Amino acid sequence: MPVKATSTLQVFCEFLKRERGLRFSDFEALHRWSVEDQSAFWEAVWRFDGFDSPTRYSSVLSNANMPGASWFPGAQVNYARQIFRHVQRAEAAGQPAVIAEDERGPVETVGWSELQRRAASMALELRRLGVARGDRVVAYLPNRPEAIVALLACASIGAIWAICAPDMGVPAVIDRFRQIEPKLLIATDGVTYGGKSIDRTRVVEDIRASLPTVEHLVLVDSRIGNGRFENAIYFSDLIAGDDARVRAFDPEWLPFDHPLWILYSSGTTGKPKALVHSHGGILLNEAAARLHFNMGASYKADSFGERFHWFCSTGWMMWNAQVGGLLGGTTICIYDGNPSGSKDNMDWATLWRFAARNYVTFFGAGAAFYTMCVKVGLNLASVGDLSALAALGSTASPLPADVQLALSDRLKASGYPDICWFNSSGGTDICGAFCTANSDLPPTPGKLQCRQLGAAVESWSPDGRPVIGEVGELVCTRPMPSMPLFLWGDEDGSRYHQSYFDIYPGVWRHGDWIKIEVDGTCEIFGRSDATINRVGHRLGTSEIYDAVERLDAVADSMAIDVRVGGDSQLLLFVVPANGMRGAALANAVCQAIRSSLSPRFVPDKVIEVSGIPRTLSGKKQELPVKRLFEGRALAEVADLSTMANPDVMQEFLTLACNFRAAQTRTTIA
């Protein structure tokens, strides 16, 4: 599928000209209007996307305070209802709703009407089991159609959804679920990953036993687990209904701000935040995101056929974003398994072959995935026919410019010259993006092309002044609909305030370093609480990674600025990629930093490690490692059950102990 001659943003601008008489000289003018006249912008998104409500809203934004903004009071919506409006048109166009594959090989294709039937059947069964509006339903499921059906069933009746992936440790799952006192647990008794089938029977038993409020267990039979659960209800029975009651079922109309789901922060320090998002807020934010992602089959009669894939587990907010593709009438293609094959047979072409088989038009993954594809020299000409592919998306960490350029060159060499890159940066906190892409703008490898419409993102100096062309704190000066309603259990709102508004009252501080140029392009420089400061010169860690990881000899890296007493040491951990080791590797790394950045940021020590600690969503855990080296206990700084590679943290604990011991000996001497 070629890149659309007319982008979704262009269609939106035509709508604004036709409906409101608005014309904009360029994208920056459009963005400026979207944040200065928020009511007009978000009402335009409402109308453009075809929102409906049986009751009128009294205003678009009745209270613009942060936190506490109130959107579309009086309106009623429903996430599932908004998806199922596409059933007839998508079915007429012959497009499925979901295409699912996993490592075991079988492909499941779910049509739009079949997805609606399964969700309706389950919604009615949940009601029969006593699940009502506001009750919490939690799921321990992989990225399979069952999770999508269960989410839509819960949304249909106003139950509040939360999910954890089976690759998360049991203590982390229990810690998250116990906070919200769920009424019903949906779980699988087995998963397949990296070529191995893993029985999760005991895990499900432990989770159920640790949640005293759970009244029912719904089991997704994986045909891997061998346990028997007392009084378990089988998922297959809940979705089997096909009578007149099921066919007549309609999702409930809910208040705009009714809770839809609960997402969890990483939990690297303290209890993970339980972030509550609303039906209406998520619907509006997804609609705005589709303008940028050049998606939304419903906007153009001839554009059904889009197929959206973003590789992710159910524990990452990108799973929610992928399900959100259904809101625009787009087919979503999901893959459950290891993107690099198995430990004994590494294969970074796995996802690319999946995309080719299923005619994926938009392919998304974390930046680390693309970096590894370049590192291993992946031959894209060998993965199958990628002629449907129109766009590549990247998030989770900054995508190095040379990685983007290298993959673009390989795609061109393989006969696919017109691929657009959609790099974005946001967070679980808003379940969306602050900075993103625009196919109408020139490519900007290594940068984000623009700020998302409706996102009043600025770069602020420590004294609260907006700056251009300088690195500053990423702030959002005006509310967005998808900001959390509240944090579950945060009765007085103090934790919400401390998390985002403690530095700049009334202004959202996200915790990232950002630089915004005059032309609106943006660059993220890592977490602001993990900044490198060398003799008064600050640098975001992403710049160091960009310089170091372009070396063929380096597979991965992490930089921390450790303060012991009054001194500071810059430590750089590197994972070797080939035979280079020791002094030769250290010299190559230091030279790359010296020539690309500055001699100021040459590390005091280059330390070889077997891996870099990462969260399940692929983010480097800089702050926990920094605190570990500064003397904090491992249990205080990191929850190993939330990590993708927890064994690596033991290696870093040993390194931290040796480092502090050496500092003590130096001080005594």
Side-chain angles (χ1 to χ4, degrees):
M1 175 180 171
V3 177
K4 295 176 184 175
T6 302
S7 69
T8 307
L9 263 175
Q10 289 171 359
V11 177
F12 180 61
C13 286
E14 286 298 316
F15 169 84
L16 293 176
K17 183 168 67 174
R18 183 174 64 253
E19 296 286 321
R20 294 176 173 268
L22 295 172
R23 292 175 173 80
F24 301 97
S25 58
D26 55 22
F27 176 81
E28 279 301 291
L30 173 62
H31 178 267
R32 190 161 51 250
W33 168 76
S34 76
V35 296
E36 291 178 351
D37 195 346
Q38 287 187 291
S39 291
F41 169 71
W42 288 110
E43 186 169 44
V45 171
W46 172 289
R47 290 173 53 80
F48 180 71
D49 200 65
F51 279 73
D52 189 20
S53 172
T55 53
R56 293 182 60 84
Y57 49 86
S58 58
S59 61
V60 174
L61 181 57
S62 64
N63 174 12
N65 293 331
M66 289 191 291
S70 176
W71 296 91
F72 290 88
Q76 297 181 74
V77 295
N78 188 292
Y79 182 88
R81 177 183 285 272
Q82 198 74 358
I83 284 175
F84 293 136
R85 64 189 169 141
H86 299 299
V87 169
Q88 290 185 347
R89 289 183 64 198
E91 295 257 302
Q95 293 301 318
V98 181
I99 299 172
E101 288 191 24
D102 64 24
E103 289 187 0
R104 289 184 284 183
V107 179
E108 182 177 4
T109 300
V110 184
W112 284 86
S113 59
E114 173 63 10
L115 181 65
Q116 184 179 38
R117 185 201 63 75
R118 292 184 193 181
S121 176
M122 186 170 186
L124 289 169
E125 289 298 311
L126 290 178
R127 276 185 185 163
R128 184 181 62 80
L129 293 170
V131 177
R133 282 194 189 191
D135 287 338
R136 276 76 64 207
V137 173
V138 296
Y140 177 76
L141 295 173
N143 188 14
R144 296 289 302 160
E146 291 87 353
I148 299 169
V149 170
L151 163 59
L152 297 180
C154 290
S156 294
I157 61 173
I160 306 172
W161 168 262
I163 189 169
C164 285
D167 57 358
M168 183 174 284
V170 180
V173 174
I174 293 171
D175 194 26
R176 283 155 174 74
F177 287 168
R178 188 185 283 150
Q179 289 187 61
I180 65 174
E181 300 178 308
K183 195 169 199 175
L184 186 138
L185 166 66
I186 308 170
T188 185
D189 60 356
V191 294
T192 301
Y193 191 84
K196 296 180 180 179
S197 294
I198 307 165
D199 187 342
R200 291 297 199 204
T201 301
R202 181 60 184 273
V203 170
V204 175
E205 290 172 344
D206 290 345
I207 294 172
R208 184 184 192 182
S210 300
L211 301 174
T213 58
V214 166
E215 298 177 4
H216 302 284
L217 168 65
V218 174
L219 183 68
V220 176
D221 185 1
S222 65
R223 300 185 180 179
I224 294 172
N226 55 17
R228 293 292 180 267
F229 298 91
E230 184 179 354
N231 298 324
I233 302 164
Y234 281 90
F235 186 92
S236 56
D237 293 335
L238 297 188
I239 65 170
D242 194 19
D243 55 20
R245 210 167 49 99
V246 171
R247 291 190 290 273
F249 175 82
D250 264 336
E252 296 180 19
W253 289 109
L254 301 167
F256 186 92
D257 60 356
H258 185 80
L260 168 62
W261 57 47
I262 295 172
L263 300 183
Y264 297 94
S265 62
S266 63
T268 52
T269 58
K271 186 179 293 186
K273 297 190 294 289
L275 304 147
V276 183
H277 295 113
S278 70
H279 278 252
I282 291 298
L283 287 173
L284 272 182
N285 192 68
E286 286 281 358
R290 285 195 297 279
L291 298 177
H292 287 271
F293 274 28
N294 208 10
M295 286 171 52
S298 59
Y299 304 134
K300 295 175 66 182
D302 61 348
S303 62
F304 278 95
E306 294 175 341
R307 294 190 171 186
F308 177 42
H309 166 71
W310 200 292
F311 179 74
C312 56
S313 77
T314 52
W316 186 18
M317 61 144 284
M318 289 310 301
W319 180 80
N320 302 71
Q322 178 167 254
V323 176
L326 295 168
L327 290 164
T330 297
T331 298
I332 61 173
C333 301
I334 62 176
Y335 183 83
D336 180 43
N338 191 332
S340 59
S342 66
K343 186 176 181 180
D344 298 327
N345 183 26
M346 299 296 286
D347 182 6
W348 288 94
T350 299
L351 289 182
W352 297 100
R353 288 196 298 270
F354 165 78
R357 280 194 301 274
N358 295 295
Y359 307 103
V360 167
T361 58
F362 191 115
F363 178 103
F369 170 80
Y370 295 114
T371 299
M372 286 307 302
C373 288
V374 170
K375 288 281 185 184
V376 301
L378 180 66
N379 178 14
L380 290 173
S382 68
V383 302
D385 183 4
L386 293 173
S387 58
L389 190 62
L392 293 170
S394 174
T395 192
S397 58
L399 181 68
D402 58 334
V403 171
Q404 179 173 328
L405 291 169
L407 279 173
S408 294
D409 288 344
R410 292 182 192 183
L411 285 163
K412 288 177 183 177
S414 302
Y416 313 116
D418 297 320
I419 307 297
C420 289
W421 279 91
F422 288 78
N423 303 327
S424 60
S425 178
T428 302
D429 320 74
I430 61 166
C431 196
F434 284 125
C435 303
T436 185
N438 176 355
S439 62
D440 297 328
L441 296 175
T444 57
K447 292 185 177 183
L448 303 147
Q449 289 173 293
C450 58
R451 288 162 286 183
Q452 181 166 299
L453 292 175
V457 172
E458 295 181 359
S459 173
W460 276 22
S461 64
D463 59 355
R465 292 183 300 103
V467 294
I468 297 293
E470 299 178 26
V471 176
E473 288 274 4
L474 190 163
V475 301
C476 192
T477 62
R478 302 190 184 193
M480 293 175 66
S482 64
M483 287 176 175
L485 294 170
F486 53 89
L487 308 184
W488 196 273
D490 182 28
E491 300 297 337
D492 62 358
S494 59
R495 193 178 185 201
Y496 192 175
H497 185 273
Q498 290 166 7
S499 298
Y500 307 107
F501 304 103
D502 60 337
I503 303 297
Y504 307 115
V507 172
W508 178 289
R509 171 184 170 270
H510 195 58
D512 284 344
W513 289 124
I514 186 173
K515 180 164 70 173
I516 303 172
E517 302 291 358
V518 174
D519 63 359
T521 57
C522 308
E523 196 168 356
I524 302 294
F525 292 91
R527 297 293 297 174
S528 57
D529 48 16
T531 305
I532 306 301
N533 191 328
R534 304 292 276 172
V535 198
H537 295 269
R538 295 184 306 174
L539 188 75
T541 52
S542 67
E543 292 188 88
I544 292 179
Y545 305 147
D546 191 37
V548 171
E549 292 173 16
R550 68 180 60 179
L551 295 173
D552 291 338
V554 177
D556 206 353
S557 66
M558 174 185 283
I560 60 171
D561 190 17
V562 182
R563 300 191 177 279
V564 181
D567 297 327
S568 168
Q569 288 201 38
L570 176 55
L571 308 181
L572 181 66
F573 306 96
V574 296
V575 180
N578 55 33
M580 188 182 290
R581 295 287 192 278
L585 177 60
N587 289 338
V589 165
C590 292
Q591 181 56 39
I593 294 172
R594 185 178 289 108
S595 59
S596 297
L597 299 173
S598 162
R600 289 191 183 93
F601 296 100
V602 170
D604 295 297
K605 294 181 185 296
V606 177
I607 304 169
E608 294 178 26
V609 292
S610 63
I612 298 300
R614 289 182 179 270
T615 65
L616 290 169
S617 60
K619 295 180 180 178
K620 298 180 184 183
Q621 294 196 292
E622 297 164 326
L623 188 57
V625 170
K626 174 183 170 72
R627 289 175 174 170
L628 196 65
F629 272 73
E630 291 179 343
R632 299 275 290 276
L634 177 58
E636 293 179 12
V637 304
D639 181 350
L640 300 185
S641 60
T642 66
M643 291 182 57
N645 51 352
D647 293 345
V648 170
M649 211 59 163
Q650 297 298 330
E651 179 181 353
F652 275 76
L653 176 60
T654 301
L655 290 171
C657 291
N658 294 339
F659 172 81
R660 293 197 305 276
Q663 299 305 305
T664 301
R665 288 194 296 271
T666 301
T667 302
I668 293 174

